[in-house]
Amino acid sequence: MDKAGESCKVVLTADRTLMSDYHHNEFVGFGTCAPPNVIPDWLYKFLFFPPIKTKDGVPVAAPYGLRKIEAQLLMEGFDVVTVDPDYLGKYVDEARVLGIHVMDPFGLGPASSTFASILKKEPFLAQYFRMLMEKSEIKRAKKHGLKIVIGGPGVWQFKYRPEFVKEYGIDCIIDGEAEKVIGKIVQAALNGEDLPQYYEVSVEETPSLEEIPDIVAPSINDLVEIGRGCCRGCRFCSVTLRPLRWYPYDKILREIEVNMKVGGGACLHAEDVMVYGSKNTIPEDEKLIKLHEAVLEKCGGIGWSHCSLAAVASKPKLFSKISEIILQKQSWWGAEVGIETGSAELAKKIMPAKAHPFKPEEWPEVVRTGMGLMHDYKLIPACTLIVGVPEETEDDVIKTIELLDDLKGIRSLIVPLFFVPMGRLEDEDWFNDAEMNSVHQELLIKCLKHDFYWINSLIDLAFAGKWYAKLIRPFYRLFVEIIIHKAAKAGIR
Ligand code: SF4
């Protein structure tokens, strides 16, 4: 969609760390969680979140969530354009509503708060969100009555920053899936009515499948949603509070078609791609195979956003079949995977259904089996561990350390994340570095060593076949070398 040069009443945007394709690699996007470090900021930005291509300030691709809102507003007849943050000046003067998409606006998410807690600096993604809000063109438009509406997975963080909301004149923050409510909020803003400062989307307002529009312009890195919600019910997670819905094949293929205007593949997004089409935690062989065959027939490659170890471990044959399909056009694929703990006791308390259809007591074995299968069939997982969850004991951490020993030979990244109160544990206390004991430190060092061992081969794989690999790869390698050198100076070898 090309709205360049037009004056639109509704402008949508996101900060630079979100309006980037990370050199066509979602893994690289994790770099936005880090604070400024040994690399000069300008070089770090180029390496980890370079600006996306634009035409007259309109990005060729934008975050998937923003594209959904854009599609919904267009469907309801609003005059809307999505704009790169560096080109707001050209559009925002004429606008009456500015919609901003956020993921981790204050760096309070698990990955960025862990980095910030250790390195004692504001992460890039928080810095760039603040820089967006401080833009003179927004302040100018605000004086002329512009209403600012914010949505996205990171909105929960505004509850911890009420002064910021006031200081920057944010008019409305929408918490939840906004398809059914965004139209009425934008209309109220255009009518000059007061907006609710914090709008929590109720269960009744959560859209059904039929009420979720197809995106009409490409999403960053070919992301396409294949479903929403998760039925595993981990206590520390807010996703699980939403109903489970799977998109039909034709809807997924239509969105891939839209993305193919600028991309070539499809990154399938769900909380667990392995259970596509299933009402529970057991993968549905036929549906999953059909989905992958249909997607691959349409485009040049497949990635996954997330998948569960339990689903992989429960259906090794199905997983091998899926791998066979995917590897027809590529040599590996990636996904985010939650390990969280190596302790069966802790798993039982905080994520009793994570191992399902296996028992929670079997969790460490489920992790070993799932990770082994991923290694054999070329899925490279970026794994997370939770550190400092309220009920955690020293023995639980020791169990996780022991599990890491077993995972040494698995091609993967393993990232420890400090506990952030969310989901059913939202009233608990945050964990921070001051609470770290020697066992926690040992765990962090173990993760670092694991990642240092694998990182160079992962960089090679991530950029294999790309024309610019030769130019850019040495910079990432240098970055890794500097970090390893720093760690060695701190006694981590
Ligand atoms: S499996 Fe993942 S998405 Fe589902 S509830 Fe647990 S942490 Fe949340």
Side-chain angles (χ1 to χ4, degrees):
M1 183 193 12
D2 184 3
K3 286 267 186 177
E6 289 183 28
S7 59
C8 284
K9 289 203 178 82
V10 185
V11 169
L12 304 177
T13 195
D15 72 66
R16 170 60 57 229
T17 61
L18 294 172
M19 206 66 97
S20 169
D21 62 15
Y22 321 105
H23 298 286
H24 304 289
N25 201 314
E26 283 296 304
F27 266 134
V28 172
F30 273 112
T32 60
C33 301
N37 49 65
V38 285
I39 297 211
D41 288 5
W42 65 267
L43 180 58
Y44 195 89
K45 180 180 168 190
F46 165 74
L47 287 176
F48 290 95
F49 48 97
I52 191 137
K53 268 194 208 143
T54 56
K55 192 175 167 205
D56 286 321
V58 173
V60 294
Y64 185 84
L66 202 59
R67 288 300 195 207
K68 279 285 187 216
I69 292 305
E70 175 189 71
Q72 180 68 36
L73 290 172
L74 285 170
M75 203 174 73
E76 292 186 40
F78 290 97
D79 187 16
V80 54
V81 62
T82 298
V83 172
D84 182 273
D86 288 347
Y87 295 86
L88 276 173
K90 205 170 161 190
Y91 292 88
V92 82
D93 283 336
E94 304 294 327
R96 307 260 305 278
V97 181
L98 175 65
I100 302 176
H101 174 77
V102 294
M103 282 288 283
D104 190 1
F106 301 107
L108 304 180
S112 41
S113 63
T114 306
F115 268 128
S117 176
I118 294 170
L119 298 176
K120 314 277 179 226
K121 280 188 196 160
E122 186 184 34
F124 279 108
L125 41 72
Q127 238 185 62
Y128 276 81
F129 174 65
R130 193 169 31 76
M131 279 155 61
L132 169 68
M133 298 305 293
E134 278 169 359
K135 278 184 183 282
S136 56
E137 49 269 47
I138 296 186
K139 286 188 177 158
R140 193 173 62 231
K142 199 69 206 133
K143 280 191 192 138
H144 299 135
L146 178 80
K147 300 268 189 197
I148 299 180
V149 179
I150 296 197
V155 293
W156 60 275
Q157 300 186 4
F158 287 91
K159 283 193 174 158
Y160 294 95
R161 296 286 188 277
E163 334 74 50
F164 187 98
V165 175
K166 224 166 144 193
E167 189 183 339
Y168 289 90
I170 296 168
D171 296 279
C172 179
I173 296 159
I174 306 176
D175 188 355
E177 296 178 26
E179 282 89 349
K180 278 175 80 175
V181 302
I182 188 68
K184 70 177 177 190
I185 289 175
V186 166
Q187 191 55 57
L190 294 176
N191 295 346
E193 295 165 24
D194 281 342
L195 302 181
Q197 188 144 82
Y198 205 86
Y199 190 104
E200 200 144 348
V201 179
S202 63
V203 178
E204 299 76 53
E205 288 169 317
T206 302
S208 64
L209 276 179
E210 299 69 39
E211 289 166 326
I212 301 175
D214 294 357
I215 58 170
V216 296
S219 66
I220 283 176
N221 288 337
D222 307 322
L223 197 85
V224 279
E225 209 166 34
I226 61 166
R228 290 185 184 179
C230 171
C231 63
R232 290 192 189 267
C234 303
R235 291 178 57 212
F236 50 83
C237 173
S238 47
V239 170
T240 201
L241 306 173
R242 298 196 237 139
L244 183 64
R245 289 144 293 165
W246 294 111
Y247 287 8
Y249 306 112
D250 57 340
K251 187 175 179 69
I252 298 167
L253 296 178
R254 280 198 307 269
E255 292 206 335
I256 290 176
E257 185 95 40
V258 171
N259 279 340
M260 284 181 72
K261 286 178 204 158
V262 294
C267 178
L268 307 180
H269 174 65
E271 301 311 328
D272 186 357
V273 173
M274 273 296 285
V275 293
Y276 170 73
S278 168
K279 288 192 183 69
N280 49 44
T281 58
I282 318 279
E284 295 257 0
D285 298 37
E286 221 174 281
K287 289 180 183 168
L288 193 67
I289 291 171
K290 189 171 166 196
L291 171 72
H292 282 79
E293 285 176 344
V295 170
L296 207 68
E297 203 181 301
K298 190 145 197 87
C299 65
I302 292 182
W304 289 1
S305 68
H306 305 85
C307 88
S308 74
L309 288 156
V312 170
S314 72
K315 293 258 177 142
K317 274 202 188 131
L318 171 64
F319 185 64
S320 114
K321 174 73 189 162
I322 295 298
S323 157
E324 198 184 304
I325 298 170
I326 294 177
L327 299 183
Q328 286 172 50
K329 290 193 182 171
Q330 61 204 73
S331 58
W332 66 283
W333 82 109
E336 267 183 71
V337 168
I339 295 179
E340 322 306 2
T341 178
S343 157
E345 289 71 31
L346 188 62
K348 228 167 160 177
K349 290 182 203 158
I350 61 167
M351 45 185 214
K354 188 101 161 170
H356 204 269
F358 303 96
K359 296 192 188 87
E361 298 82 30
E362 295 174 279
W363 178 243
E365 195 45 43
V366 170
V367 175
R368 282 188 282 268
T369 309
M371 292 285 281
L373 287 163
M374 288 177 183
H375 184 85
D376 292 346
Y377 293 110
K378 307 275 171 34
L379 188 160
I380 300 181
C383 307
T384 51
L385 297 175
I386 294 195
V387 178
V389 71
E391 288 163 87
E392 172 197 275
T393 64
E394 203 168 293
D395 190 50
D396 292 325
V397 186
I398 291 170
K399 294 264 167 50
T400 307
I401 293 172
E402 287 167 0
L403 180 68
L404 282 179
D405 280 332
D406 299 337
L407 301 181
K408 252 186 201 159
I410 310 284
R411 196 189 310 102
S412 57
L413 285 179
I414 302 181
V415 188
L417 303 174
F418 290 173
F419 169 72
V420 168
M422 285 202 275
R424 295 191 178 94
L425 298 181
E426 71 173 351
D427 295 328
E428 300 289 344
D429 284 335
W430 296 69
F431 182 85
N432 63 51
D433 62 320
E435 295 168 77
M436 279 217 310
N437 56 32
S438 58
V439 196
H440 287 130
Q441 271 170 14
E442 196 186 328
L443 175 65
L444 260 58
I445 290 170
K446 259 244 138 81
C447 292
L448 264 183
K449 284 181 175 172
H450 178 95
D451 297 342
F452 286 165
Y453 179 75
W454 285 108
I455 192 76
N456 279 329
S457 59
L458 297 186
I459 292 172
D460 286 346
L461 278 173
F463 290 98
K466 305 252 167 82
W467 66 266
Y468 50 82
K470 274 202 179 121
L471 290 173
I472 206 165
R473 210 163 32 197
F475 286 107
Y476 290 101
R477 283 184 178 280
L478 176 67
F479 179 54
V480 172
E481 287 310 317
I482 294 170
I483 300 287
I484 292 176
H485 178 70
K486 289 247 168 193
K489 270 174 93 180
I492 305 167
R493 287 178 191 281

